[in-house]
Amino acid sequence: MKVLIKEKIAEAGVEKLKEAGFEVDVALKMSREEMLKVIDKYDGLIVRSATQVDDEVISKASNLKVIGRAGIGVDNIDLNAATKRGIIVANAPQSNIISVAEHAIGLLLAQCRLIPQACLSMKNGKWEKSKFVGTEVYGKILGIVGLGRIGTLVASRAHGLGIKTLAYDPYVSEERFKQLGIDVADSLDDLLKKSDFITIHLPKAKETMNLIGKKEFSKMKDGVRIINTARGGIINEDALADAIKSGKVASAGIDVYSNEPYTSGPLFELEQVVLTPHIAASTREAQDKAGTITAEQVVAALKGEFVSNAVNVAAVAPEIVEVLKPFLPLGEILGRFFAKLVDERVSSLDIEYSGDIAGGKSVGLLTVAILKGVLESVVQEPVTYVNASILADERGLVVKESRTSKPCEYVNLITLKKDSLTVSGTLLSPGKMRIVKLFDYDIDVIPSQYMLLIHNEDKPKMIGRVGMTLGNYNINIARMQFGRVKARGEAISVLNVDEPIPEKVLEEIKAINGVSKAKFITL
């Protein structure tokens, strides 16, 4: 598989892709026109913020499976177009959060202590000590609009400076506010009225554009100071300039702008404004982390594994991901195994979760993993965590999900059912998967690439005859498990083998006296 790196990432990220066995093209100077001509050759694409991955690009990317954004924002990627094509879009949301939080605090301190102005004065040969009288941040109230990862980090750093924190975020529980030691603002207006400093940490969206304008500035304290390291356009720049000129706003520290590059505008005229060219995330540490994390996400996507930072997969709380992540490979394996055993059209699938995994936790992500496994071998399109549910709906596959936390033989158990077919699996420990029920039989099978499933009579010499047949063709048996309901009755045998079993050999096994069915399975 091939990966195109369109913008610079850390060399460690490039090496991760190569170590995973992918062919990597680093084309930092490739034009858009050139990219449109060759994008269909690539399975993965990595960009930062400068490359526009719009519907035109995606429509020509016939083999693309994943787009990696080395950073947080995905404004430059058409998520809808990518999702429709089953392309995973993954970012590196935690790569630069420390850098951005530190920059926000830096802009606050730069304003309050007039650091840029004093530096410029000295470099002009002046010693204007009395001119640059600042203000302390200690004991003041910092209003944080948006209490996500970055907002939370800003708050913790503000606490270290003795700053009181107040935040507005309607999607954060009061209990969480208490844990963080942050006061709750009842509304945005409440925060605007009470804060000495206001910092913005919101995504760019229709609802947040021009969120802070003339009306909002009028509700703020006189002499308030503003920080924005989030997204340009959330604060109306003309309204901010007017508020500074009127004295309502004492100063501002701005790193992001409605139109970038921002090389002229009303804020340039004001010495009270500290401007930086969208560099909050630009530290060596953040850039390195963004590149390596994004590369890891691309590797996971191209290997068909769970992509933890996918932005076009339904959001799952981190604590739930932590619980479910070890079970995702098991879910995919069970889905694949189940699909290989079904001989007729599957219009419905019953999935039952038992034990600890079912107790009070959302298992939706695990159901997606199972659907991915079920559909991979039966649909033409690439199946991912993004489009598995969509493909199932399109095919009229009705999924019935049930959960029971009642004690069972296993700590956790996942069961797939369709008519008489039952497949149950469990995880003994991370990475140690077992298939423990097949049809009506209790069994203990380790899933492997090549497996032989036999329905046979429980009678002497059965195992020997199967083994001899395989041995005659130099097919090595790695492991064999046997299940039965009663002695001398119907039984099932599952063999893990090291090589594929040719159709000729399978027919010989089916012809053995006492064998009713035999199926070779490749997972």
Side-chain angles (χ1 to χ4, degrees):
M1 285 194 259
K2 297 181 69 174
V3 178
L4 173 63
I5 299 177
K6 184 67 175 57
E7 296 179 68
K8 186 175 177 60
I9 66 169
E11 191 58 35
V14 179
E15 288 305 311
K16 279 185 180 292
L17 292 163
K18 291 179 178 177
E19 288 169 6
F22 303 130
E23 184 180 336
V24 181
D25 290 338
V26 180
L28 309 185
K29 295 183 179 180
M30 180 184 285
S31 68
R32 177 180 173 85
E33 290 70 27
E34 290 173 313
M35 182 172 70
L36 288 169
K37 290 178 182 177
V38 301
I39 192 63
D40 63 317
K41 299 176 182 177
Y42 293 95
D43 302 276
L45 170 66
I46 293 178
V47 300
R48 286 191 178 275
S49 59
T51 303
Q52 293 298 313
V53 188
D54 52 22
D55 184 52
E56 183 182 15
V57 173
I58 290 169
S59 67
K60 293 182 180 297
S62 55
N63 290 308
L64 201 63
K65 300 168 184 66
V66 59
I67 301 167
R69 163 67 168 96
I72 296 180
V74 290
D75 309 346
N76 56 316
I77 300 170
D78 189 329
L79 292 180
N80 289 332
T83 302
K84 287 177 183 176
R85 291 288 304 275
I87 299 170
I88 294 172
V89 179
N91 63 352
Q94 299 191 52
S95 61
N96 57 22
I97 57 176
I98 292 173
S99 298
V100 175
E102 290 179 351
H103 196 72
I105 294 294
L107 287 175
L108 174 61
L109 294 174
Q111 294 177 63
C112 290
R113 298 309 305 269
L114 303 169
I115 293 171
Q117 296 90 330
C119 177
L120 182 61
S121 173
M122 283 199 67
K123 287 186 175 182
N124 286 331
K126 301 177 183 177
W127 185 265
E128 300 176 298
K129 188 175 180 179
S130 60
K131 180 179 178 181
F132 302 112
V133 178
T135 184
E136 290 184 352
V137 297
Y138 180 84
K140 302 296 195 306
I141 297 173
L142 173 64
I144 303 169
V145 184
L147 198 58
R149 294 188 181 102
I150 296 174
T152 300
L153 287 175
V154 170
S156 69
R157 282 147 181 74
H159 291 159
L161 294 169
I163 301 173
K164 299 173 185 177
T165 53
L166 173 72
Y168 173 67
D169 194 322
Y171 301 101
V172 175
S173 68
E174 289 193 17
E175 183 60 33
R176 178 65 173 156
F177 273 97
K178 289 177 183 176
Q179 291 172 355
L180 296 171
I182 301 170
D183 291 334
V184 183
D186 297 328
S187 63
L188 179 59
D189 284 355
D190 183 41
L191 180 142
L192 298 178
K193 292 172 184 175
K194 294 178 179 177
S195 303
D196 299 299
F197 316 131
I198 296 173
T199 182
I200 306 297
H201 299 288
L202 295 172
K204 184 177 182 179
K206 183 179 178 181
E207 298 77 15
T208 61
M209 293 304 291
N210 292 306
L211 182 69
I212 307 297
K214 182 177 181 180
K215 182 174 71 173
E216 287 70 32
F217 283 119
S218 69
K219 297 174 183 177
M220 298 178 188
K221 285 184 178 181
D222 291 341
V224 68
R225 299 177 189 272
I226 306 294
I227 307 106
N228 186 12
T229 56
R231 283 289 180 267
I234 296 174
I235 296 176
N236 184 292
E237 291 153 9
D238 291 327
L240 173 60
D242 290 341
I244 292 173
K245 291 174 184 176
S246 70
K248 182 69 176 181
V249 174
S251 62
I254 307 296
D255 184 59
V256 290
Y257 310 90
S258 54
N259 291 299
E260 297 183 4
Y262 184 73
T263 54
S264 63
L267 300 180
F268 276 88
E269 306 166 9
L270 305 169
E271 66 173 1
Q272 301 97 317
V273 182
V274 180
L275 301 176
T276 54
H278 204 149
I279 59 169
S282 296
T283 61
R284 292 187 184 91
E285 295 82 357
Q287 299 301 308
D288 286 349
K289 282 186 282 189
T292 53
I293 290 172
T294 303
E296 289 167 356
Q297 297 295 301
V298 169
V299 169
L302 294 181
K303 287 189 172 183
E305 299 170 357
F306 174 63
V307 183
S308 58
N309 292 341
V311 297
N312 53 347
V313 176
V316 181
E319 61 271 18
I320 293 177
V321 171
E322 192 67 26
V323 173
L324 296 184
K325 190 173 181 180
F327 293 90
L328 297 178
L330 173 63
E332 289 192 41
I333 287 290
L334 290 176
R336 271 188 224 125
F337 191 70
F338 182 88
K340 300 288 185 178
L341 296 179
V342 176
D343 294 321
E344 58 187 20
R345 185 179 181 276
V346 179
S347 59
S348 65
L349 172 62
D350 293 334
I351 304 174
E352 182 180 280
Y353 299 101
S354 308
D356 291 350
I357 197 172
K361 302 177 183 71
S362 170
V363 290
L365 183 61
L366 195 43
T367 297
V368 171
I370 292 168
L371 287 175
K372 180 176 182 287
V374 168
L375 295 172
E376 275 178 336
S377 61
V378 296
V379 301
Q380 187 175 1
E381 305 95 318
V383 185
T384 69
Y385 279 86
V386 175
N387 66 356
S389 296
I390 296 171
L391 292 173
D393 288 340
E394 288 177 353
R395 281 154 182 77
L397 176 57
V398 178
V399 178
K400 299 174 184 176
E401 184 185 290
S402 62
R403 295 191 285 168
T404 174
S405 55
K406 293 179 181 178
C408 62
E409 188 176 347
Y410 300 93
V411 176
N412 294 289
L413 190 68
I414 303 170
T415 300
L416 282 60
K417 293 181 180 180
K418 169 72 170 68
D419 299 329
S420 62
L421 174 59
T422 297
V423 177
S424 296
T426 191
L427 202 61
L428 301 183
S429 63
K432 291 189 176 181
M433 296 179 274
R434 293 290 189 277
I435 296 172
V436 296
K437 194 172 188 67
L438 200 49
F439 296 96
D440 294 325
Y441 305 101
D442 293 324
I443 203 159
D444 183 16
V445 174
I446 299 175
S448 65
Q449 183 179 9
Y450 303 125
M451 302 171 73
L452 174 63
L453 174 64
I454 302 172
H455 291 263
N456 58 273
E457 295 177 23
D458 176 25
K459 64 180 184 180
K461 299 184 180 180
M462 285 301 307
I463 295 174
R465 288 169 182 163
V466 172
M468 284 291 293
T469 302
L470 293 174
N472 289 339
Y473 290 93
N474 199 31
I475 296 171
N476 192 49
I477 300 172
R479 198 168 187 266
M480 182 174 185
Q481 288 296 311
F482 186 77
R484 68 182 188 180
V485 176
K486 64 179 182 178
R488 304 278 178 168
E490 288 295 316
I492 195 167
S493 303
V494 181
L495 291 78
N496 304 90
V497 294
D498 292 335
E499 295 85 22
I501 298 177
E503 187 62 31
K504 175 185 175 182
V505 180
L506 193 61
E507 290 302 319
E508 284 192 31
I509 292 172
K510 289 178 181 178
I512 294 172
N513 184 25
V515 172
S516 57
K517 288 182 184 178
K519 177 169 282 194
F520 174 62
I521 295 170
T522 303
L523 292 181

